[in-house]
């Protein structure tokens, strides 16, 4: 397929072209590779799942004779394309279709899906981006879509597969990697974290990432991550802690979801993250048994699924705690306070036994 295109003078490292094509032709040279994971948990694809209602709305609009769609579809190529400069900013783009579809839709999948079922001649603008490899293609997808209202969890799940990100996204990339490993490797949280590729999970991935990011910034993981096997050590630490939580609060964990147990709720997970930090830093807890010993003091003092919390005189029903800063801070302060008091008690040396006075000689 060949198109006469306009070349935009942008990055010296990329070729950016613009041309018009029908939706049917775009789908011949570009595919929509939706995000998923294989049997080993490896990430593939990068687009969000189709949104049927949204596509229908776009299609209904485009079926009208006076409809327009000025926003371009963005397609990226890594190979099997040739560009021939014709002068004055014009470029002939040749797309090799002999080995299948070479392009990937980076932005505009819903519009393109809607257009595929429109019963009229309708061309759309296509912005073609030629990338040096797939890693660069993924990077461009994240950067292009990060400023648009795509689900943040989708962007975050992709971050570990992308290099050379801005600092703001790089900091979350490690946390996202640890979260995905907790979810897709054999850990205490396997399948429990809600992600785009694990929609049946209970624990919000962004909450788990927040716990990990705090530890990476100024907690126990800050030193662990510097080790060559730092990621694996961090995964094992979090897994061991939540294995202890699951067994200590068995009835509050199993068979529950965030609405029925604050143990799986955003507030509970964040507060437990602080408990993990205290035990890991103050008592050097690492194993399941060490963490279990550390949280044993919380038994009988929590209201995960029923009853009331007593926060220094402020009484709150168990399900009134929400994932807002004030409630999270209240729960953190309470749980950490109980655990620290128990650590102090266990460290306090036992008093020396009283000696019996020596008997007097008669």
């Amino acid at each position: 397929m060949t198109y006469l295109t306009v070349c935009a003078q942008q990055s010296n490292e990329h070729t950016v072209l613009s041309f018009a094509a029908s939706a049917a032709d775009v789908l011949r040279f570009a595919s929509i590779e939706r995000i998923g994971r294989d049997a080993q948990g490896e990430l593939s694809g990068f687009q969000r799942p189709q949104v049927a209602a949204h596509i229908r709305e776009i299609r209904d609009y485009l079926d009208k004779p006076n409809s327009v769609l000025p926003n371009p579809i963005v397609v990226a190529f890594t190979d099997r394309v040739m560009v021939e400069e014709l002068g004055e900013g014009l470029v002939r783009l040749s797309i090799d279709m002999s080995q299948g579809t070479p392009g990937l839709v980076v932005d505009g999948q819903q519009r393109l899906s809607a257009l595929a079922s429109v019963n009229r001649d309708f061309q759309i603008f296509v912005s073609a981006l030629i990338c040096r490899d797939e890693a660069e293609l993924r990077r461009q997808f994240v950067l292009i879509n990060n400023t648009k209202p795509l689900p943040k969890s989708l962007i975050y799940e992709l971050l570990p597969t992308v290099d050379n990100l801005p600092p703001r996204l790089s900091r979350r990339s490690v946390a996202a990697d640890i979260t995905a490993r907790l979810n897709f490797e054999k850990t205490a949280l396997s399948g429990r974290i809600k992600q785009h590729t694990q929609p049946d999970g209970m624990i919000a991935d962004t909450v788990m990432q927040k716990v990990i990011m705090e530890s990476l910034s100024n907690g126990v993981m800050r030193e662990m991550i510097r080790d060559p096997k730092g990621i694996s050590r961090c995964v094992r630490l979090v897994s061991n802690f939540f294995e202890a939580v699951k067994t200590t609060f068995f009835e509050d964990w199993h068979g529950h979801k965030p609405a029925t147990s604050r143990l799986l709720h955003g507030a509970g997970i964040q507060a437990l993250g602080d408990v993990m930090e205290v035990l890991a830093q103050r008592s050097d807890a690492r194993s399941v048994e060490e963490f279990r010993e550390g949280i044993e003091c919380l038994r009988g003092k929590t209201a995960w699924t029923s009853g009331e919390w007593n926060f220094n005189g402020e009484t709150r029903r168990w399900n009134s705690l929400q994932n807002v800063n004030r409630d999270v801070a209240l729960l953190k302060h309470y749980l950490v306070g109980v655990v620290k008091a128990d650590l102090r008690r266990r460290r306090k040396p036992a008093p020396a036994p009283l000696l019996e006075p020596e008997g007097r000689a008669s």
Side-chain angles (χ1 to χ4, degrees):
M1 303 180 74
T2 303
Y3 292 93
L4 183 63
T5 72
V6 176
C7 182
Q9 298 298 316
Q10 297 184 357
S11 167
N12 291 331
E13 298 180 4
H14 304 92
T15 300
V16 183
L17 308 171
S18 182
F19 59 96
S22 68
D25 283 344
V26 173
L27 289 171
R28 287 177 60 198
F29 62 71
S31 61
I32 300 171
E33 188 179 354
R34 294 184 175 85
I35 190 168
R37 289 185 185 269
D38 60 20
Q40 289 72 44
E42 292 295 321
L43 198 65
S44 64
F46 48 86
Q47 283 281 13
R48 60 180 168 179
Q50 282 187 310
V51 182
H54 186 205
I55 292 174
R56 282 196 300 272
E57 289 178 0
I58 299 173
R59 185 189 61 212
D60 291 345
Y61 165 72
L62 293 174
D63 266 332
K64 297 176 181 178
N66 61 345
S67 62
V68 295
L69 189 60
N71 295 345
I73 305 296
V74 181
V75 175
F77 298 91
T78 57
D79 58 6
R80 291 191 280 146
V81 290
M82 277 183 39
V83 294
E84 179 186 354
E85 294 188 12
L86 303 177
E88 298 184 354
L90 296 179
V91 169
R92 180 179 288 110
L93 173 68
S94 300
I95 305 172
D96 180 4
M97 304 287 293
S98 62
Q99 300 177 51
T101 304
L104 289 170
V105 178
V106 175
D107 186 41
Q109 63 150 329
Q110 314 293 358
R111 282 168 279 150
L112 188 57
S113 297
L115 279 165
S117 58
V118 170
N119 296 317
R120 57 185 286 236
D121 292 332
F122 195 101
Q123 284 191 322
I124 49 174
F125 287 109
V126 178
S127 290
L129 175 64
I130 302 177
C131 302
R132 59 178 176 269
D133 52 34
E134 187 169 337
E136 174 62 18
L137 188 154
R138 287 179 178 272
R139 177 175 179 271
Q140 291 300 328
F141 172 80
V142 168
L143 295 178
I144 288 169
N145 286 286
N146 188 51
T147 58
K148 296 188 177 184
L150 281 176
K152 288 296 183 184
S153 59
L154 170 57
I155 295 294
Y156 296 154
E157 195 168 351
L158 288 167
L159 290 181
T161 69
V162 180
D163 296 322
N164 300 318
L165 289 168
R168 177 175 62 85
L169 294 177
S170 295
R171 285 191 293 270
R172 189 177 285 267
S173 179
V174 176
D177 189 12
I178 294 171
T179 299
R181 294 189 186 206
L182 285 165
N183 210 19
F184 295 100
E185 294 179 4
K186 191 174 181 180
T187 75
L189 295 174
S190 297
R192 283 282 184 172
I193 303 172
K194 186 178 180 66
Q195 296 184 275
H196 263 266
T197 54
Q198 183 60 43
D200 296 329
M202 299 292 180
I203 301 169
D205 58 349
T206 51
V207 170
M208 185 59 64
Q209 289 164 15
K210 188 172 183 179
V211 169
I212 295 168
M213 287 175 69
E214 288 180 0
S215 185
L216 289 169
S217 296
N218 50 27
V220 65
M221 294 187 199
R222 183 175 181 178
E223 294 299 324
M224 294 174 67
I225 201 66
R226 296 174 182 174
D227 186 277
K229 296 182 179 179
I231 295 280
S232 296
R233 291 181 62 199
C234 292
V235 170
R236 187 163 58 251
L237 176 83
V238 179
S239 177
N240 287 348
F241 174 74
F242 278 98
E243 182 63 37
V245 170
K246 288 167 60 177
T247 54
T248 302
F249 301 106
F250 183 88
E251 292 184 354
D252 297 314
W253 181 279
H254 293 275
H256 282 284
K257 52 188 178 181
T260 62
S261 175
R262 286 310 185 251
L263 197 60
L264 295 161
H265 191 270
I269 294 295
Q270 290 181 73
L272 287 169
D274 276 24
V275 171
M276 180 184 72
E277 283 296 326
V278 169
L279 293 173
Q281 294 195 56
R282 297 200 176 196
S283 64
D284 203 32
R286 294 292 185 274
S287 69
V288 175
E289 190 53 45
E290 289 167 341
F291 280 125
R292 187 183 293 127
E293 182 182 0
I295 63 176
E296 182 66 26
C297 61
L298 294 173
R299 279 158 90 59
K301 299 178 181 178
T302 60
W304 298 120
T305 57
S306 63
E308 295 178 335
W309 298 91
N310 190 342
F311 300 125
N312 295 325
E314 180 181 349
T315 302
R316 298 283 298 274
R317 279 187 55 78
W318 75 271
N319 58 353
S320 71
L321 289 181
Q322 301 301 320
N323 191 20
V324 295
N325 290 339
R326 183 179 184 278
D327 287 4
V328 171
L330 272 175
L331 189 55
K332 282 183 175 183
H333 183 74
Y334 173 74
L335 296 181
V336 167
V338 173
V339 170
K340 285 182 176 179
D342 182 67
L343 289 176
R344 289 193 296 268
R345 179 188 60 78
R346 286 193 279 153
R347 288 176 180 170
K348 188 175 181 180
L354 296 175
L355 298 177
E356 292 292 330
E358 294 185 6
R360 294 182 180 178
S362 56

